[in-house]
Amino acid sequence: MEVGKRSTISDVAKLAGVSITTVSRVINDNYPVSERTKKKVNTAIEELGFRPNLLARSLIQDKTQTIGIITPSIENLFFSEVIKGIDTFVDDKDYRSFLCSTEGNPDKEKAMIDSLVNRSVDGIIVIDPRTKNIKSGFYEGISKRIPLVLINGFNEGIMCNFVLNDDVTGTLTALRHLKDQGRKRIGLLLGRKSYSYDIKENVYRTFCQDSGLDFDEANLLRIQAGNSLDAAKQAKAILMDHLEKSQHPIDGLVCGNDFMAVGALNGAREFGLNVPADIQIIGFDNSLVSQLSYPPLTTVDHHMNELGTLAAKRMVNLIGDPDFKDHWTKLSVATNLIVRGT
């Protein structure tokens, strides 16, 4: 064979002294071949450094052994840990993943989904899908074409496979903890609209009403960034602005994620407050940043790795299910409060 030329299946067949069909059967393991012939073919493959054409192989097997992962951000440690859980599981099952970041843009999310479908991935996992794309029916359409798992983003009546955090229980646990600690004016800090933030806001409003706490719109703080590193900077600024302008500033705060909580922590301390004596702050996710802050953050543990693993397991099962279009599930991962220093 010419030096530098990529070896072909024909080269393998010639060196092994067998037909191209026999080489294909050995590679795809889809037809009985004698052990002696297998050994000859595998020896020739190794000697030539032959690598099967993945596209051709996928056409034969109707599988590409690839899974698409869509995430709003790669900066947010919540998403990174979920992705790690997915990737570890699918890698063990001999799948490879394509990672796409949408920056929270619903139109970009749709375009990336369409691109992955056109690349013939075997399935797609979407982390924190945009509500706009769920309610429009876009994802229901995709789920009829290809195995699809949505992490969070649940909406009643949407026929898709969901794997969810128990945000309701997590938020309630955080709010109750602050109330039990004697906090009278509890605030909520969130990013832009999303499934997770909407749940937290609804739980917060209901909790204030049911527990006898005075609800004040001024205690519902919202920033533009949610999943990027800029969330900490914006959280710091909005809390300091609230503390300066409010006649009755909050003495407890639940934040949408740990980035926001660290920003709020820095803002409270810069304003001259003692944390947790003057104000208690609770984050969400139990990400690495929650353990590195000073003092370490009290936070709601979302069990992110477990969330990704559960979604990956569901995906692999769907890929092996010829009736995947008709099988919908909603799986949930429990949360718990990690009490630290804030």
Side-chain angles (χ1 to χ4, degrees):
M1 188 176 69
E2 182 182 335
V3 176
K5 181 182 177 183
R6 179 173 177 170
S7 57
T8 66
I9 193 170
S10 299
D11 298 325
V12 174
K14 184 177 180 180
L15 183 60
V18 298
S19 68
I20 292 175
T21 301
T22 299
V23 175
S24 177
R25 288 172 175 173
V26 171
I27 292 171
N28 295 302
D29 194 23
N30 59 358
Y31 197 87
V33 177
S34 70
E35 290 301 319
R36 180 173 177 272
T37 301
K38 280 184 181 179
K39 185 175 181 180
K40 288 167 60 178
V41 170
N42 286 326
T43 299
I45 288 173
E46 185 175 348
E47 184 175 331
L48 293 170
F50 174 70
R51 295 292 179 269
N53 185 302
L54 293 178
L55 178 59
R57 191 172 180 179
S58 69
L59 291 173
I60 295 170
Q61 298 181 336
D62 196 29
K63 287 178 68 177
T64 61
Q65 292 299 121
T66 57
I67 291 173
I69 303 174
I70 302 287
T71 178
S73 168
I74 56 175
E75 293 179 341
N76 189 318
L77 297 178
F78 169 82
F79 300 130
S80 299
E81 281 298 312
V82 173
I83 292 165
K84 182 179 177 181
I86 297 170
D87 214 34
T88 299
F89 185 86
V90 301
D91 184 67
D92 189 56
K93 301 297 181 182
D94 294 325
Y95 286 90
R96 298 295 175 264
S97 57
F98 290 136
L99 178 62
C100 305
S101 176
T102 68
E103 299 171 352
N105 185 311
D107 293 329
K108 192 173 182 180
E109 183 176 273
K110 287 178 66 175
M112 287 181 171
I113 293 285
D114 289 336
S115 177
L116 288 171
V117 171
N118 290 335
R119 290 174 184 272
S120 299
V121 296
D122 295 328
I124 299 174
I125 298 174
V126 186
I127 306 170
D128 198 18
R130 300 298 90 181
T131 302
K132 175 182 176 182
N133 291 335
I134 296 173
K135 291 185 175 179
S136 70
F138 170 74
Y139 277 116
E140 283 189 302
I142 294 295
S143 68
K144 291 177 172 57
R145 299 167 58 191
I146 186 172
L148 175 71
V149 174
L150 304 180
I151 297 179
N152 293 334
F154 177 73
N155 276 252
E156 290 288 351
I158 301 297
M159 299 302 172
C160 288
N161 288 280
F162 292 95
V163 176
L164 313 169
N165 289 124
D166 188 354
D167 272 321
V168 172
T169 301
T171 306
L172 274 174
T173 301
L175 291 168
R176 285 171 180 160
H177 176 77
L178 292 177
K179 187 173 185 295
D180 291 344
Q181 293 291 306
R183 302 295 148 166
K184 304 296 184 183
R185 298 178 303 281
I186 300 173
L188 182 68
L189 173 57
L190 300 174
R192 289 174 293 182
K193 287 284 187 179
S194 76
Y195 162 80
S196 179
Y197 297 151
D198 289 348
I199 287 179
K200 290 179 175 69
E201 181 177 341
N202 290 337
V203 171
Y204 170 69
R205 289 177 180 274
T206 302
F207 178 82
C208 288
Q209 179 180 341
D210 294 346
S211 63
L213 294 177
D214 291 334
F215 175 77
D216 187 340
E217 287 286 350
N219 296 342
L220 180 54
L221 311 179
R222 193 178 297 278
I223 59 176
Q224 287 301 307
N227 300 317
S228 68
L229 291 172
D230 202 42
K233 182 190 300 183
Q234 292 186 25
K236 174 182 175 181
I238 199 169
L239 178 60
M240 292 184 71
D241 185 66
H242 166 84
L243 294 172
E244 182 179 350
K245 294 179 179 178
S246 177
Q247 292 184 346
H248 304 287
I250 58 176
D251 58 3
L253 181 65
V254 176
C255 301
N257 60 40
D258 289 339
F259 277 161
M260 298 180 202
V262 168
L265 171 61
N266 292 338
R269 295 178 67 185
E270 187 169 319
F271 194 79
L273 298 183
N274 180 286
V275 180
D278 298 323
I279 182 172
Q280 288 184 283
I281 297 171
I282 298 179
F284 249 86
D285 296 343
N286 192 30
S287 62
L288 180 62
V289 70
S290 69
Q291 302 170 52
L292 298 178
S293 67
Y294 182 78
L297 279 174
T298 294
T299 184
V300 176
D301 192 349
H302 260 155
H303 301 284
M304 301 165 286
N305 198 276
E306 182 182 343
L307 189 69
T309 300
L310 187 60
K313 285 181 180 178
R314 182 63 185 141
M315 173 54 65
V316 171
N317 288 337
L318 285 172
I319 291 173
D321 181 0
D323 298 319
F324 72 87
K325 300 174 185 177
D326 303 314
H327 293 166
W328 318 116
T329 56
K330 184 177 79 167
L331 306 174
S332 183
V333 175
T335 58
N336 63 282
L337 185 66
I338 306 295
V339 179
R340 296 195 179 103
T342 61

